[in-house]
Amino acid sequence: MADEHPDPFDYPKEWEADVVLSDGGTVHLRPIVPSDADALLAFHGRMSERTRYLRYFGAYPQIPPRDLERFTTVDHRDRVAFVAMLGDDIVAVARYERIEKQPLAEVAFVVEDRHQSRGLGPILLEHLAAAARERGIERFVAEVLAENSPMLGVFRAAGYQVAREMEEGVFHLEFAIDPTEESVAVARSREQAADARSVHNLLHPRSVALIGASTDPEKVGYAVLGHLLRADFAGPVFPVNAENRSVRGVRAYPSVLDIPDPVDLAVVAVPAAHMDEVMDACLAKGVKALVVISSGFGESGPAGEGAERKLVTEARAHGMRVVGPNALGVVNTDPAVRLNATLAPVLPGRGRAGFFSQSGALGTAILADAKARGLGLSTFVSAGNRADVSGNDLLQYWETDPATDVVLLYLESFGNPRKFARVARRLGRVKPIIAVKSGRHAVLPALAATSVAVDEASVQALFEQAGVIRVESIAHLFDTALLLAHQPLPRGDRVSIVGNSSAIGVLAADAALGQGLALAGSPVDVGSSVGPDVLADAVRAELRREDVDALVVVFVPPLSIPGTAYARALRDAAASVGAGKPIVSTFLATEGIPAELAVPGPDGSPARGSIPSYPSPERAVLALARATRYAVWRSAPQGNLIRPDGVDAEAARAVVSAAMSEVDDGLVELSDEDAVRLLSCYGIEIVAHRVVTSSTDAVAAAEELGYPVAVKATGERWWRRPDLEGVRLDLTTEEAVRTAYTDLAELSEVADLYVQRMAPKGIGCSIGLQDDPSFGTLVSFGLSGVVSDLLGDRAYRAVPLTDTDAAALVRAPKAAPLLTGYRGGEPADLDALADLVLRVAALAEDVPQMRWLALEPILAGPAGVQAVGARVKVGAPPSRLDSGPRRLR
C-alpha cells in the first residue's frame, strides 16, 4: 500500500539507466522528480501541435500548474513516470497509473519530435514494465488514437500478446507485462542493432578532432596525428592546440569549439587534469564519440576512478560513447574510412578479422605481429580501462559487420560475463571467436575476497559452451586466426598428411592423433627430390578423396629447386581442386602467409584461399584441431532454454530473503529446513529425514520414515567423509538405530543427528552451484568419491543452461561412462540427472542471491535419481546480471 505522503525522490536507484538508441546515440533514463518542472515545460513547448494532439487527444498548448505538479510529483509505486534525459533536456516521458488498486495500470508515452524514430518508445516500455512488475502490476492498458501509427507500432512490435478494441477512432489496448520468449527476443534483437550502430558510428567517423595535438615529437599527440595523416583518413582531421596555428602542416584550432565543421570523433591526448574542460567543449560541440588515450584515470587509484566515472556519466548523458581511458586507440582499414587513431606506428593490411584488446600496452606489439604474419584486420579497438565501450559492444558490432569474418579477443576481465556468454554463443554460430584471457592463476583482490576460485578446466569448459576458441598466447591466437581467416572450416576430423620428409610426416601424424584428430591413412611421402608438379599432384589427389576433411602439408625445400616454386605449386593445386577443405602447411620456415602461398586480395593483402604456414608441424596441427573442435560445436544443436515445471520462484525468494534478513553482510548458510524448503520450490526433493536429539527420538523417526534408514552425524567435520565414519547405513531394526545413535553421538560429541530413509542404490553424483569472479554463476557436475575430487573431475557450465547444455554436462566428466553402463553395469537415468541440473540452473537464474550450493550425494540409478543431502549459502550477488530492461552496464 502506498504511503500517504510518499517521498517524490525516493525511488530505487537501479531504475536509473544509460541506454543506447537505435541510431547509436545514448540517453539517460530516470524517474521524474518535482525539480523537473521547468525542463518538462520546456519539453512540452518544443513539441509540435501534432505530437501534443496525439498524446493528449486535444490541442493542450500549455501545461497548467495543477497538471504540472501532478505530472512531476509521483509516488513511484502506483504512479510512476520516467524521463529520458539528453544533457539537461527532457526528450521523452513515459508513465503509468494504477487503476483502482488493481494489478492493472494505464500507460502512456510521448517523445519530442526530433527524437522520434530513435527507438525511445520500446526502451521506455521495457523500463516502465519492469518497474510496474516490481510494484505488483501485471497488465498494462493504453488508449491510442487510430491515426497514431508510430505508438501503435511500439506496442505491436514489443513481443507481448496485445488485445485490441477500437471505438470512435481510439484503440483500447491491453496486455500482460510479464516477459515472454518473444518480448525478450525482440528486446535483444534491438539491443544488438543499437549496440552495433553505436560502434559503427565510432569506427566510421566523417571527421576527427585530435585534442592535444602536439608539435613535440616526444608527445602522444604528435604520434597520433602522424598516424592519422599517414593512414590518409578519408575525412578532415582537425588538430586542437591552443598554442600553435598548425601542427605537422595541418591547420590547428585553439578549441574543438572553434572548428567550423561538425566533429564525429574526438581523440583525446591531454593530461587527465584537463579532462573537465575538454569534456565541456566536446559536449557543447556535439561530438558523437570519444577515444581517450590519456592515462591517469581508474588505473591510478581512487581519485582517478572518480574522474573516470564522471567522464563516462557525462558522455553518456549527452549521447556519446567513450573508448578508454588509457586506450591505445581504434583502427578501421576500410578503404572508404582509412582510420588509424592509435599510438601504433605499424598497421596490418586490410583483412577479415576484427580485434578487441583490453590492454593498450600490448596493442602496439599485437598490431606489429599481425602485420608480420600477413594477418589483415578489418577493425581494431583497444579499450584500455573499458569504462564504456567494451568487448561485448564489439561482439554486437561484428555480428552484423559484413567486413568481419573472424573475431579476436585479448581479455583481462569481463565487465558483464553473462552478457558475454549470451552474445558470444550467438555470434559464434556464424563467426569464430578466438580469445586469449589473462589472469589464469591470479584474481584481482577485490574479486577474490567475494568469490570462489575455479580451476582452469572449468574456465575452458565455459569458453567451449559459448563456442569461444580459447588459446594460451598471442602466438597461438594468430596461428588459429590465420587458418580461420583464410581457409574453410573442416567438415570432419579426418586429416591427410602430404610431405617430402617421412620424419616430419610422422611428427605431424603424432600431433594430429594427440589432438584427437583421425588420420585418413598413412602420411604421403612424395620423396625429397621430386619437382613441384609431383607435390601438386599429391595434394590434388588427397583433396579429392571423400574420406579426407583437411590437409596438412609438411615440406622441407630441396637444395636444387627454389622452395618458392613448390609453394606456388601448392597454392595453385589447392585452387584448382576447390574442394572446400582447409589446408595448413610448414613451408619455407615461414610463420604467417608468404607471398607464394597467398591469394592476393583487391589491395594486395592475402585473401580467402591463402594457405597459412607454421614454423613446426605441431603448431600447424594444433591450429587445425582448434578449428575442427569449433566446427563440431558450431554444427551441434543449440538447444532450448527450458523452464522446468513445478517452479515457485516467489516462494523461493521469500525463503532467501528471510534468511538474509538475519545477517548484515557476507554469506549465510541456510538451515536444513530452509534448504529443503528452498529446493522443493524447484521440484528438487531431498530424501526424507529428521533431526533427532536422543536414541528414543531416533527410533521414532525411523518408524515414521520407514525402515531401512541411515543415521548420520552432523557438522562440517563429518560432511563428505570418504570413510563414512560418521554414517551408519541400512539399519533395519530398533536396536540397530539405538546403537547407531549412541555410537555417533559419542563420536561426534553432538546430540543432534540425522535419521534418513535409505534411498535406492545408485551411483553417487554431485551437482554444485557457485559464483565465479569472471564468468558469473556456474553449475558443476561430477561423480562423488575421493578419486574424482583428487583429479578435479568435474564439468562446468555457465548459467543460463539450455537442455543441450544440461545433457552434455552430465556426460562431460571423465568418469561419466560409469553412468552409462560401463563394463556391463546398469545405465543410470541421465535424463533425470539433466532435469535436476536444469532445476538447479533455474534456481540460480531466478534467485541471484544463490552464492553456493552442494547437492550431494545424488544417487543415480536406472529408475531415476534421489538427492540425499544439500547445503546452501546465500548472500548479495557479486556477478553482474544479464536480465531486465536494456541498459549500458
Side-chain angles (χ1 to χ4, degrees), residues 208 223-234 265 267 293 328-333 337-347 367 380:
V208 176
V224 176
L225 180 58
H227 301 157
L228 278 166
L229 298 176
R230 194 174 303 119
D232 190 25
F233 174 61
L265 174 66
V267 181
I293 294 175
L328 181 72
V330 300
V331 171
N332 186 349
T333 62
V337 181
R338 305 187 300 276
L339 174 68
N340 178 12
T342 73
L343 290 170
V346 177
L347 286 185
L367 291 173
F380 171 85

Side-chain angles (χ1 to χ4, degrees), residues 740-825:
Y741 178 87
T742 302
D743 290 348
L744 290 179
E746 181 179 346
L747 178 67
S748 65
E749 299 179 345
V750 175
D752 290 354
L753 300 181
Y754 292 131
V755 176
Q756 187 170 37
R757 186 174 64 235
M758 286 294 298
K761 302 295 183 184
I763 298 171
C765 307
S766 67
I767 295 172
L769 197 67
Q770 61 195 51
D771 201 278
D772 174 68
S774 293
F775 292 93
T777 303
L778 309 180
V779 179
S780 65
F781 176 78
L783 273 67
S784 301
V786 178
V787 174
S788 292
D789 289 347
L790 185 63
L791 299 179
D793 187 20
R794 297 189 70 78
Y796 296 81
R797 294 293 186 272
V799 171
L801 268 65
T802 66
D803 53 353
T804 301
D805 292 331
L809 180 63
V810 299
R811 293 167 172 81
K814 293 182 176 63
L818 292 172
L819 296 168
T820 58
Y822 184 70
R823 291 193 173 180

Side-chain angles (χ1 to χ4, degrees), residues 430-463:
V430 291
K431 299 180 182 181
I433 305 168
I434 313 168
V436 177
K437 183 181 181 301
S438 62
R440 283 175 172 267
H441 306 295
V443 178
L444 293 172
L447 293 174
T450 57
S451 304
V452 179
V454 179
D455 62 81
E456 270 303 299
S458 70
V459 176
Q460 181 63 27
L462 289 166
F463 271 107

